Amino acid sequence: MKLFDLSGRVAIVTGGNGGIGLGMAKGMAEAGAAIVVAGRDATKNAAAVKEIQGLGATASAIAVDVLKEDSCHALIAETVKRHGRLDILVNNAGMSIRKQPQDFTAAEWHKVLDSNLTSAFLCSQAAYPAMKKAGAGKVINIGSMMSIFGAAFATAYAASKGGMVQMTKAMATAWAKDNIQVNSILPGWIDTALTRRAREEVQGLHESVLKRTPAGRWGIPDDFAGIAVFLAAPASDFVTGAAITVDGGYSVQG
Ligand code: NDP
């Protein structure tokens, strides 16, 4: 179906070498997009590329550290050089430092904000000229339940993910005239490397998530294939500035 067809499109997924990013990359690959996996870890990058190619799709990796502005710019430039275009940017790379607010150092605060929020700003800004020139583009930003809620251990993370939603709205407003749609996805609790560590560090987290999630389970990376395809495809051409929860109902449970 043309509405969900990504044939001929080129997508970058930061943090696409595992977890939610890889789930989205695989979905878009199955819909026909060529994928650029952008992460720091070369071994994880290579494994993800192999997995995506195994679906019959075009995929390659570019090593990137989104904490560095020049690395973000090089990612976009290299993608355009390789493929001659850039249609879809998924700002998914992220991390967390779990501490009470009074225990954060300024360096830790900046690391979380820079990894999760500033990186998305820099990559989007770098991607804009190619998308504007093409007359179309899709930017997909990954937020969190912490874009909506707070948690004692998530001061910097919640600030970054709340900021992601507001940045999405501002960019959507600015770039709508260029036919570039900018949306965010707010995942619930998903079983990945990130939350495996959280479950070790935060007592009772596993059970409390299960209890509060109406779907009665943790999410899995494959749960993000469909929403990624929708937000990357013509089906969402009049959807911009939205924050879409993919959380098994976690955020609507009273
Ligand atoms: P993972 O830890 O599996 O993925 C994080 C990804 O980010 C990795 O691929 C990692 O690549 C990449 N990354 C981190 N820092 C950098 C950096 N400086 N430069 C380049 N890449 C970087 O966790 P998830 O899949 O869970 O997380 C993906 C996104 O989803 C994050 O933004 C996270 O905040 C968000 N999210 C996750 C939820 C969950 O429950 N799992 C819930 C809500 C939001 P590498 O290892 O190569 O550096």
Side-chain angles (χ1 to χ4, degrees), residues 25-26 28-35 49 51-60:
K26 283 163 58 186
M28 292 190 292
E30 287 195 294
I35 306 293
V49 165
E51 196 173 332
I52 297 165
Q53 286 172 340
L55 301 170
T58 301
S60 63

Side-chain angles (χ1 to χ4, degrees), residues 15-21 38-41 44-45 64-67 92-95 115-116 142-145 157 161 187-195 218:
N17 62 17
I20 293 172
R40 288 171 300 190
D41 185 319
K44 279 167 63 184
N45 283 352
V64 63
D65 182 352
V66 296
L67 282 168
N92 162 78
M95 51 83 71
S115 298
N116 299 355
I142 307 307
S144 162
M145 288 297 101
Y157 186 80
K161 295 299 190 178
W189 288 90
I190 317 303
D191 184 14
T192 66
L194 189 87
T195 48
W218 280 64

Side-chain angles (χ1 to χ4, degrees), residues 9 147 154 186 196 201 215 229 246:
R9 309 282 165 97
S147 302
L186 313 188
R196 255 164 256 149
E201 290 174 13
V229 171
V246 179

